[in-house]
Amino acid sequence: MSELQSPLRLGIAGLGTVGIGVINIVENNANLVSARSGKQVEISAVSARDRGRDRGVDLSGYAWHDNAVDLAADENVDLVVELMGGSDGPAYALAKACLAAGKPFVTANKALIATHGKELAELAEANHAALRFEAAVAGGVPIVKALTEGLSANNISGLHGILNGTCNYILTRMEREHLPFDEVLADAQRLGYAEADPTFDIDGIDTAHKTAILAAIAFAMAPDIENLPTEGIRNIVPVDIDYARELGYRIKLLGVARQADGGVEVRVHPAMVPLASPLAKVMDATNAVMVSGDHVGPTGYEGAGAGQGPTASAVMADVVDVARGVWYPPFGVPAASLGSPALLSAAQHVGTYYVRLKVADVPGVMADITRALAQENVSIDSMLQRGHADDGGVYIVLTTHETTEEAANAALKHFNALECVLESPAMLRIEAA
């Protein structure tokens, strides 16, 4: 009981949806959290931009800091929870101040960890301060803990993840309702699934930050967001979704990190995954990650990737670990051991591809297409030809045998030069996820 009489006092920076969710858990599940952590967990101080805003909870019992960085020096705060967001600015300054002072730091900020992860890990280790970020990846899905703890005895061969609920929601509705991207995006914004400026989500940036973090843990490498090939879903059209299904696939935005000949591949892009695969069955705003280890084999993790409750739950899982006295290097190995393995460029990727062409319905088209592929030593695995498009063109869809992305892109350039090709070809990677 002596430990229970010495509470763990939290300072919360950022009182948006997740911050209020953390307050709700601390206040409503106090006995459960205390029993499981061995300490009473309470909130002593908060910080946010607007002191006067009504957030639906009573904040009068907590000290208020206009400057979030002041939480690091507050002697009544034992652990800081950062929920402001942003790779730099106040979040970065607060992280450095806390860790330099030896104060535990828990964050849901994927941009911060993906950008400054190694530096912050070094600072945390130097001062034996906990740095935890379960909530930074996939909301309530405990994938960071799975990689750092549950799979820690395995060599990880690769992982594939659906890490952005907004994109998965958009692709799900495009398929179910045969709607164009722009229409579904507008509806997602109206319903609150997408921000007014959706760039971070639909251009793959959010997924890239999360993928960089998972790759860092899986392969003991420093997070490297700068060299991560990233492509979003803006160019996905209903005809590709329809053809994908006819061919036995479903289109998903994936974060991929895997061991490959000559180095490590880390990439984000839309891809076609087999309908029978676990990731193809993940619909709406759900997140999921598949991880393969040399002893455990394939494992899967699925759940709510965002939202007040799931993300606050992940934050509190880290808080409970700190209360229990659990400490280990933030990325599972000492920061000094985080290497810089050879990162394969997108052009070096070896795989199979889906290509859609809109061509004029004239003799000799197929000969032109096969000749362009042969020039780059790309062979056809399957081909579909369907009726006329609205403008009189004909769709030809093909999948390739295994080839390099460099060769596939070179073939696309040949297609663009053909008079019979009426619009820029579309290409998607096929992943056996």
Side-chain angles (χ1 to χ4, degrees):
M1 290 296 294
S2 60
E3 280 195 309
L4 289 174
Q5 294 169 1
S6 177
L8 180 70
R9 300 165 297 178
L10 309 184
I12 301 177
L15 295 174
T17 300
V18 178
I20 298 306
V22 170
I23 291 174
N24 287 335
I25 291 177
V26 172
E27 292 183 348
N28 298 330
N29 288 7
N31 291 337
L32 177 65
V33 171
S34 173
R36 290 181 173 169
S37 67
K39 282 191 176 184
Q40 190 72 33
V41 175
E42 60 187 42
I43 299 163
S44 62
V46 296
S47 177
R49 282 194 296 260
D50 182 358
R51 187 189 289 237
R53 177 182 161 197
D54 182 6
R55 295 174 170 86
V57 294
D58 182 9
L59 302 174
S60 61
Y62 312 137
W64 182 279
H65 291 282
D66 290 315
N67 184 352
V69 180
D70 291 342
L71 290 169
D74 189 332
E75 61 183 15
N76 294 312
V77 171
D78 303 310
L79 179 155
V80 169
V81 175
E82 185 273 307
L83 304 169
M84 298 181 291
S87 61
D88 295 290
Y92 181 39
L94 176 59
K96 290 192 295 182
C98 283
L99 298 173
K103 185 169 289 188
F105 184 78
V106 171
T107 181
N109 189 338
K110 58 261 184 183
L112 176 70
I113 301 302
T115 305
H116 302 292
K118 184 175 183 180
E119 175 196 353
L120 295 178
E122 290 171 340
L123 195 56
E125 291 170 34
N127 295 283
H128 201 74
L131 168 61
R132 303 299 291 267
F133 43 84
E134 181 66 68
V137 183
V141 182
I143 185 59
V144 172
K145 187 179 285 287
L147 286 170
T148 52
E149 297 181 26
L151 301 178
S152 58
N154 286 257
N155 285 309
I156 304 300
S157 58
L159 60 88
H160 295 73
I162 296 171
L163 300 171
N164 185 273
T166 298
C167 288
N168 208 47
Y169 170 82
I170 290 171
L171 291 171
T172 297
R173 286 200 56 202
M174 287 178 69
E175 179 183 353
R176 282 179 180 162
E177 302 173 40
H178 304 284
L179 295 173
F181 172 82
D182 289 341
E183 184 174 337
V184 178
L185 172 60
D187 207 29
Q189 289 171 311
R190 181 180 62 80
L191 294 170
Y193 284 102
E195 301 290 340
D197 179 2
T199 302
F200 200 70
D201 292 320
I202 65 174
D203 287 344
I205 301 167
D206 174 78
T207 298
H209 284 138
K210 296 169 182 176
T211 304
I213 294 170
L214 296 184
I217 302 169
F219 304 125
M221 56 185 282
D224 187 356
I225 193 66
E226 296 299 324
N227 294 300
L228 200 162
T230 303
E231 179 185 334
I233 64 169
R234 287 181 188 267
N235 296 323
I236 301 299
V237 295
V239 67
D240 290 322
I241 290 175
D242 293 341
Y243 278 126
R245 188 166 187 85
E246 186 172 354
L247 290 164
Y249 299 99
R250 177 168 284 136
I251 298 174
K252 296 293 183 183
L253 180 69
L254 296 183
V256 180
R258 69 181 185 94
Q259 300 277 10
D261 291 341
V264 173
E265 279 189 303
V266 187
R267 46 196 164 86
V268 169
H269 53 71
M272 291 170 50
V273 297
L275 288 171
S277 72
L279 289 183
K281 297 176 173 63
V282 177
M283 307 298 277
D284 298 306
T286 303
N287 281 195
V289 185
M290 299 297 298
V291 184
S292 292
D294 60 347
H295 289 285
V296 74
T299 61
Y301 312 84
E302 179 179 344
Q308 183 181 75
T311 308
S313 173
V315 168
M316 288 303 298
D318 283 343
V319 170
V320 167
D321 266 359
V322 174
R324 288 170 172 166
V326 175
W327 189 94
Y328 51 75
F331 291 96
V333 298
S337 300
L338 294 175
S340 299
L343 291 175
L344 274 64
S345 68
Q348 293 172 284
H349 172 64
V350 175
T352 57
Y353 295 86
Y354 157 97
V355 178
R356 172 178 50 81
L357 299 163
K358 183 187 281 188
V359 300
D361 189 9
V362 295
V365 168
M366 289 307 303
D368 289 341
I369 291 172
T370 55
R371 189 179 304 113
L373 291 168
Q375 283 181 266
E376 301 302 331
N377 200 30
V378 178
S379 60
I380 296 173
D381 180 47
S382 66
M383 180 178 289
L384 296 173
Q385 181 175 337
R386 292 293 178 262
H388 290 85
D390 293 340
D391 59 3
V394 174
Y395 284 124
I396 293 177
V397 169
L398 60 91
T399 60
T400 74
H401 285 293
E402 199 168 78
T403 187
T404 66
E405 190 151 326
E406 182 177 33
N409 280 322
L412 292 191
K413 290 182 180 179
H414 293 314
F415 292 148
N416 270 321
L418 296 174
E419 289 186 10
C420 63
V421 174
L422 303 179
E423 65 181 26
S424 294
M427 185 176 81
L428 289 168
R429 300 157 192 86
I430 298 173
E431 293 283 339

